[in-house]
Amino acid sequence: MTRREEKRNLETIPVGSLGMIPLEGCINLGKKVDYYLVKWRTERESEHKDSLAFSGYQRDTYILDAKVPRFGSGEAKGVIKESVRGTDLYLLVDVANYSLTYSLCGHENHMSPDDHYQDLKRIIAAVGGKARRITVIMPFLYESRQHKRTARESLDCALALQEMVNMGVDNIITFDAHDPRVQNAIPLHGFETVQPAYQFIKGLLANVQDLKINADHMMVISPDEGGMSRAIYIANVLGLDMGMFYKRRDYTRIVNGRNPIIAHEFLGSSVEGKDVIIIDDMISSGESVLEVAAALKDRKANRIFVFSTFGLFTAGLAGFDKAYEKGTIHRVLTTNLIYQTPELLKREWYIDCDMSKYIAYIIDTLNHDTSISDLLNPVERIQACVARYHAGETEGV
């Protein structure tokens, strides 16, 4: 795969000198992405290496020195400590990283999504329009759960997108947006929502040795009607059957801002004896996905694997520990696109899907102004991965 990607990138001139600013909450992911970019560009033999258009092409790091220092009052400012003039700039931000703290009048305050988003705007403001192009890579799209108006309420995600493009952002790349239709708020600017389907399947095949990937032994389930497209994609690519649950709600009451779920009703063929993949965009408290897993176990499903792009685990890990002990779930796969607690990474039931190489491919390709359409639709890579697994090549699937 590396060779194929490199070959297509060699012929085009970069948009500008590549620069990357991972904000503090995203620094670990940023360093991993930087590692791949440095490695590929050092190895890449380019006949244009000495030309002016390729100046600054090979460097020890593409991460630019930037900080967001805070005053004692909790106020802050964005500072970029090196030149960004003419740079093709990529900003990485994890708005879901609650582990970072700052001092607010002597009190320790955990950073909220609002704080991270504000810091992103500070860095964009510090660029001051001097970069050639600004691309924001925001894996967990800020306020994406507030994506539509159902009453007299704010449309926060749409406002944030408009605010970013008004500040000079050219492209926004996010992963598994809660509702991709939010891009209608910025119809004249770039917006990509990337699915990590390949990384999920790769992670599953590398860690579970005895899977039978066919319609008789495996099934894909969507836990609600909103996530149907994800389940349909995986099911079609792997040649599996699919089913879905829909949430029956009590519309006469509101609890914690929403109508409580009375039951999860199942639509689909029998799951008896089959391994089941439940796929969703995020695990928030995890209550919903655990209820769906329990309902599938009641229907005599075999092992249950949960794929979720963002593992927030807002109610902690105890519920998943209990479900694993009872045999309700077998493995949970989430990505490293957002903050993962050290406790989560140690869990026996958890499989971490690293997205840094994929992000590096996207950045490298976009910097060369080349199409990323094959990166966004990885059907061939998934099928090649499954073929290697069936051939018994479990190493490096």
Side-chain angles (χ1 to χ4, degrees):
M1 179 178 168
T2 310
R3 207 172 297 119
R4 190 188 72 197
E5 300 297 342
E6 288 177 352
K7 196 184 287 183
R8 69 174 184 180
N9 281 345
L10 279 173
E11 301 309 314
T12 55
I13 292 172
V15 172
S17 182
L18 177 60
M20 189 168 63
I21 299 178
L23 275 83
E24 196 185 351
C26 213
I27 199 75
N28 291 335
L29 183 64
K31 284 178 178 172
K32 286 183 178 179
V33 171
D34 185 54
Y35 163 79
Y36 286 112
L37 290 170
V38 171
K39 180 171 176 282
W40 296 336
R41 293 191 172 200
T42 304
E43 291 168 357
R44 191 173 288 160
E45 286 300 319
S46 170
E47 61 190 77
H48 315 292
K49 204 178 284 183
D50 300 322
S51 80
L52 203 58
F54 276 71
S55 78
Y57 190 73
Q58 294 182 337
R59 304 206 330 240
D60 293 336
T61 180
Y62 297 96
I63 295 177
L64 304 179
D65 190 6
K67 297 278 182 289
V68 184
R70 285 186 184 266
F71 302 102
S73 59
E75 297 164 294
K77 62 178 178 179
V79 181
I80 300 172
K81 298 185 176 179
E82 52 189 296
S83 173
V84 292
R85 190 176 294 276
T87 306
D88 184 20
L89 195 58
Y90 293 82
L91 309 180
L92 275 70
V93 59
D94 173 12
V95 299
N97 190 340
Y98 60 88
S99 71
L100 297 181
T101 59
Y102 62 91
S103 177
L104 176 61
C105 300
H107 299 282
E108 188 181 52
N109 213 19
H110 281 264
M111 286 182 74
S112 71
D114 294 344
D115 291 317
H116 287 292
Y117 176 60
Q118 201 66 27
D119 281 359
L120 171 68
K121 289 196 294 180
R122 290 178 174 118
I123 292 294
I124 296 168
V127 171
K130 301 298 184 286
R132 181 157 300 168
R133 186 174 71 175
I134 298 177
T135 301
V136 169
I137 299 178
M138 184 186 280
F140 187 91
L141 187 61
Y142 174 69
E143 289 289 358
S144 58
R145 300 180 79 176
Q146 184 49 28
H147 58 96
K148 65 178 188 286
R149 180 178 279 161
T150 53
R152 184 64 61 216
E153 57 191 21
S154 59
L155 281 168
D156 297 54
C157 189
L159 278 173
L161 293 176
Q162 290 184 351
E163 195 172 17
M164 281 191 276
V165 300
N166 288 340
M167 291 183 78
V169 172
D170 297 281
N171 298 299
I172 296 158
I173 295 172
T174 187
F175 283 77
D176 210 350
H178 196 62
D179 186 344
R181 288 174 295 184
V182 293
Q183 67 189 287
N184 293 343
I186 49 165
L188 301 181
H189 289 78
F191 180 96
E192 297 290 353
T193 175
V194 186
Q195 297 290 337
Y198 171 65
Q199 283 76 14
F200 282 144
I201 291 162
K202 188 177 168 186
L204 183 67
L205 300 188
N207 288 280
V208 184
Q209 309 305 329
D210 56 346
L211 294 168
K212 292 178 180 168
I213 305 165
N214 57 54
D216 294 329
H217 296 94
M218 193 177 259
M219 202 165 165
V220 184
I221 301 291
S222 173
D224 54 38
E225 60 279 18
M228 281 287 283
S229 58
R230 293 180 198 93
I232 289 169
Y233 181 82
I234 297 260
N236 286 348
V237 172
L238 295 180
L240 307 178
D241 198 2
M242 72 150 290
M244 68 161 278
F245 282 84
Y246 72 91
K247 294 167 182 169
R248 195 144 54 85
R249 295 180 181 273
D250 180 358
Y251 285 100
T252 62
R253 295 186 302 134
I254 294 177
V255 178
N256 294 332
R258 51 203 314 191
N259 303 102
I261 297 164
I262 304 165
H264 293 271
E265 304 288 359
F266 181 63
L267 301 173
S269 56
S270 171
V271 298
E272 189 172 343
K274 293 180 182 177
D275 287 337
V276 174
I277 294 169
I278 301 173
I279 184 159
D280 207 358
D281 62 333
M282 71 175 75
I283 293 171
S284 186
S285 66
E287 192 180 321
S288 185
V289 78
L290 291 176
E291 282 176 13
V292 164
L296 288 168
K297 276 293 182 187
D298 289 344
R299 290 171 171 79
K300 299 186 172 62
N302 192 20
R303 293 173 298 184
I304 291 176
F305 304 100
V306 180
F307 291 1
S308 182
T309 310
F310 306 110
L312 298 168
F313 299 102
T314 57
L317 305 175
F320 285 85
D321 290 338
K322 207 173 287 180
Y324 176 63
E325 283 164 26
K326 284 169 64 180
T328 308
I329 55 167
H330 188 69
R331 292 287 182 272
V332 177
L333 291 81
T334 74
T335 69
N336 64 338
L337 291 169
I338 60 169
Y339 171 68
Q340 299 157 298
T341 62
E343 295 78 38
L344 175 66
L345 294 169
K346 288 176 194 160
R347 290 299 196 266
E348 196 181 342
W349 45 262
Y350 181 68
I351 296 172
D352 174 25
C353 299
D354 183 12
M355 300 295 293
S356 55
K357 195 174 188 180
Y358 194 25
I359 294 172
Y361 274 129
I362 290 170
I363 291 175
D364 198 23
T365 308
L366 288 176
N367 180 236
H368 278 269
D369 229 5
T370 305
S371 169
I372 59 168
S373 56
D374 67 319
L375 287 171
L376 300 180
N377 189 12
V379 176
E380 285 175 29
R381 281 178 296 152
I382 291 171
Q383 290 177 340
C385 188
V386 172
R388 287 198 299 276
Y389 182 83
H390 282 150
E393 300 172 31
T394 52
E395 281 301 308
V397 290

